[in-house]
Amino acid sequence: MASWAALSPSIVEYFEGEDSYRCGYCKNESGSRSNGMWAHSMTVQDYQDLIDRGWRRSGKYVYKPVMNQTCCPQYTIRCRPLQFQPSKSHKKVLKKMLKFLAKGEISKGNYEDDPMEPTMEDTVAGDFGLINKLDIQCDLKTLSGDLTESFDSEEKKKGKSPKKGESNEFIQSQDIEEKLGSGEPSHPVKMPMAPKPGKGADLSKPPCRKAKEIRKERKRLKLMQQNPAGELEGFQAQGEPPSLFPPKANKSNQPKSLEDLIFESLPENASHKLEFTRFLCSSPLEAENPPNGPDCGYGSFHQQYWLDGRIIAVGVIDILPYCVSSVYLYYDPDYSFLSLGVYSALREIAFTRQLHQKTSQLSYYYMGFYIHSCPKMKYKGQYRPSDLLCPETYVWVPIEQCLPSLENSKYCRFNQDPEAVDEGRSKDPDRLQVFHKKAIMPYGVYKKQQKDPGEEATVLQYARLVGQTCSERMLLFRN
């Protein structure tokens, strides 16, 4: 993991204009509209600030819906885990899981029609509609081969490292060049589709594990053996001590907490065993491990759900400075009766609460986009309390205050103050950072070298969408 002090800046390529493509929600052939950029690399702080301005990533492609034009407006939604109380529907899902683990009982009912249970296709339909459009028509920019070759040949001619007198920007640009030349995006871009549950890799086989992970597992098992009650067997994430969530005395006049319901003890002869492992995974986010951050660090992770030694679900999450952001969940459809979508969300809310104990500013759970006009995507509003992001001023508004407006109009400004403006807007675009021809420079310098009249409009659109802070920190690659 990168040290906190030695982080390299985010590097992005912005795609000019607005793209239209088939909507994965209402199936409109060209109704979905968004702006986008390719993240060669990105710090967790920059991504945190971007999602707080309505952006979202799908792999390394980061996009922002054009809210007042797209057919199905997508509002960023976050849950407040510290005040979260599971609803009756949530408790039903948790009890169903416990009954299955303890006695092997499978509740009756049509789980596919459960309004609280999204399918993987529902969750990512909008993203993949966008990605398919990119595969066919978007001319994703890539590093010029001439630029890469000229940079290599220049270093070969020198035959040595840059001298002490050379600028820090030139030295830093070499590190940036390595990231940009690492094979993404290729030309043309072909982003792999998400594997359909039950297809592709053999999910019944455990992943290859490093010696370090095996040692952690042995330590975990030893701690579990030392725990005489054995209440938590099969429930901890790998490397977490069994005392992390000790069973609480349940008072008759007090409802059970989320942790009480999730970590309820199982009998010794339980029918099934559910285990969890967590691994860093590949993404544009740079893994970071600051001293005041969570023990697992920041970055992108796979949370694997193992049932009796077989992997049945994988949740993809981003751990950011102020939140856990849920990306996707893939699960085996043979286990849809367990409502794994709801169950994993509740686990991730509990995980956010756990991280908050060490890192107090990490106190939100982001659930992606809330789409009020799509019945199958309204389930996210049932995790309360939660807030929606105002698409004009980028302030958070409790969802209860937003729903009446959404009943009357697909697109809404949630901030009720008519004088309020976007406080993080781009106010000085000349300070925007550009990476061009091996050099880092402010846009005020870069624009003096440009003759293309359309270049200024593209850069100013990018600055408006990412805001002043990110425009000054991130490097905008221009070829």
Side-chain angles (χ1 to χ4, degrees):
M1 287 188 179
S3 67
W4 191 251
L7 293 174
S8 57
S10 302
I11 308 164
V12 299
E13 285 182 70
Y14 180 69
F15 308 134
E16 61 182 305
E18 297 165 356
D19 194 29
S20 61
Y21 49 92
R22 185 175 188 271
C23 178
Y25 304 110
C26 71
K27 312 305 179 186
N28 186 312
E29 288 300 325
S30 59
S32 193
R33 295 178 179 273
S34 69
N35 299 104
M37 58 188 174
W38 187 270
H40 290 275
S41 68
M42 184 166 285
T43 66
V44 291
Q45 184 61 61
D46 284 339
Y47 187 55
Q48 175 74 68
D49 290 346
L50 286 174
I51 62 176
D52 283 336
R53 292 185 63 82
W55 293 79
R56 176 173 166 81
R57 77 176 184 89
S58 181
K60 292 195 173 187
Y61 186 73
V62 188
Y63 65 99
K64 185 180 189 302
V66 184
M67 296 291 284
N68 60 351
Q69 297 180 29
T70 191
C71 55
C72 296
Q74 301 163 58
Y75 299 92
T76 303
I77 183 171
R78 72 178 187 184
C79 173
R80 285 175 259 153
L82 305 187
Q83 294 82 38
F84 175 80
Q85 286 294 331
S87 66
K88 289 183 179 179
S89 297
H90 297 145
K91 291 177 182 178
K92 183 178 178 182
V93 169
L94 294 174
K95 290 176 181 177
K96 178 168 59 177
M97 174 65 80
L98 286 171
K99 284 183 179 180
F100 174 72
L101 295 175
K103 303 177 182 178
E105 291 183 8
I106 299 177
S107 302
K108 297 179 181 179
N110 188 350
Y111 310 102
E112 293 181 357
D113 293 335
D114 186 348
M116 286 292 296
E117 181 61 15
T119 65
M120 189 268 286
E121 287 77 8
D122 293 333
T123 307
V124 302
D127 289 356
F128 289 139
L130 178 150
I131 296 306
N132 286 338
K133 175 74 174 182
L134 287 174
D135 288 346
I136 297 169
Q137 295 185 18
C138 261
D139 181 17
L140 295 188
K141 300 181 182 71
T142 183
L143 260 183
S144 163
D146 294 339
L147 175 60
T148 307
E149 289 173 13
S150 65
F151 200 85
D152 291 341
S153 61
E154 220 173 283
E155 293 307 304
K156 286 179 182 177
K157 287 177 184 177
K158 290 179 182 178
K160 54 185 177 182
S161 301
K163 297 177 182 178
K164 290 183 180 178
E166 292 179 322
S167 72
N168 288 335
E169 271 134 354
F170 180 78
I171 295 171
Q172 189 180 28
S173 72
Q174 289 179 294
D175 296 332
I176 294 167
E177 187 68 26
E178 289 178 6
K179 290 185 177 181
L180 286 169
S182 62
E184 72 263 301
S186 59
H187 185 89
V189 166
K190 287 294 179 186
M191 293 185 67
M193 297 291 287
K196 291 186 177 179
K199 294 186 179 181
D202 185 355
L203 297 181
S204 65
K205 295 181 179 179
C208 296
R209 299 167 66 195
K210 295 181 180 180
K212 183 178 179 181
E213 297 296 338
I214 295 174
R215 289 197 297 272
K216 282 185 178 180
E217 177 68 10
R218 287 174 179 166
K219 182 179 179 181
R220 182 179 73 88
L221 292 173
K222 185 177 180 181
L223 286 169
M224 289 171 65
Q225 290 170 357
Q226 293 172 355
N227 179 21
E231 294 92 348
L232 302 180
E233 184 172 353
F235 276 89
Q236 305 88 345
Q238 184 168 319
E240 294 174 357
S243 59
L244 187 61
F245 285 106
K248 299 176 183 178
N250 184 38
K251 299 178 182 179
S252 58
N253 61 344
Q254 211 171 26
K256 286 187 176 182
S257 70
L258 178 61
E259 286 76 16
D260 290 334
L261 293 165
I262 290 179
F263 300 101
E264 188 168 321
S265 60
L266 290 173
E268 291 184 5
N269 61 343
S271 298
H272 300 284
K273 183 177 180 182
L274 186 64
E275 297 179 294
F276 302 87
T277 57
R278 188 177 305 113
F279 298 99
L280 271 169
C281 63
S282 176
S283 91
L285 301 186
E286 298 283 345
E288 302 172 18
N289 198 5
N292 60 341
D295 292 336
C296 58
Y298 298 115
S300 299
F301 295 81
H302 278 164
Q303 295 209 121
Q304 299 178 346
Y305 294 70
W306 293 82
L307 181 67
D308 302 331
R310 177 183 179 182
I311 190 168
I312 61 169
V314 178
V316 183
I317 59 171
D318 293 331
I319 300 179
L320 305 175
Y322 306 124
C323 74
V324 170
S325 175
S326 178
V327 184
Y328 297 133
L329 175 79
Y330 307 109
Y331 61 86
D332 187 334
D334 289 346
Y335 295 91
S336 60
F337 64 88
L338 291 174
S339 301
L340 292 172
V342 177
Y343 183 77
S344 66
L346 296 172
R347 294 274 324 192
E348 289 169 4
I349 289 172
F351 179 51
T352 305
R353 283 153 66 136
Q354 174 195 334
L355 296 179
H356 174 78
Q357 295 175 7
K358 165 78 187 299
T359 310
S360 59
Q361 72 270 20
L362 204 164
S363 54
Y364 295 101
Y365 175 61
Y366 284 44
M367 297 178 282
F369 289 137
Y370 173 81
I371 307 172
H372 191 77
S373 58
C374 179
K376 286 189 177 181
M377 295 303 289
K378 291 169 70 173
Y379 72 92
K380 295 181 181 181
Q382 299 180 28
Y383 295 83
R384 304 284 181 94
S386 58
D387 310 300
L388 297 183
L389 187 67
C390 176
E392 295 182 10
T393 61
Y394 303 112
V395 297
W396 294 97
V397 180
I399 192 171
E400 295 85 356
Q401 297 178 24
C402 305
L403 294 179
S405 299
L406 289 171
E407 287 295 328
N408 296 322
S409 174
K410 287 184 179 181
Y411 174 74
C412 299
R413 171 192 166 109
F414 300 135
N415 192 329
Q416 297 301 308
D417 180 0
E419 302 298 321
V421 296
D422 171 15
E423 296 294 341
R425 67 190 182 280
S426 175
K427 301 170 186 175
D428 187 0
D430 281 358
R431 297 177 62 180
L432 179 151
Q433 294 297 298
V434 177
F435 182 62
H436 178 62
K437 291 186 176 179
K438 312 174 196 174
I440 301 169
M441 64 188 77
Y443 177 64
V445 174
Y446 168 77
K447 69 180 181 181
K448 295 177 182 177
Q449 306 172 11
Q450 301 305 307
K451 298 179 181 179
D452 181 2
E455 179 70 356
E456 181 175 15
T458 298
V459 175
L460 292 181
Q461 184 186 57
Y462 160 82
R464 176 177 59 83
L465 294 172
V466 303
Q468 186 70 35
T469 300
C470 281
S471 72
E472 290 187 38
R473 278 199 312 246
M474 302 193 303
L475 299 184
L476 174 64
F477 173 72
R478 303 308 288 170
N479 191 5

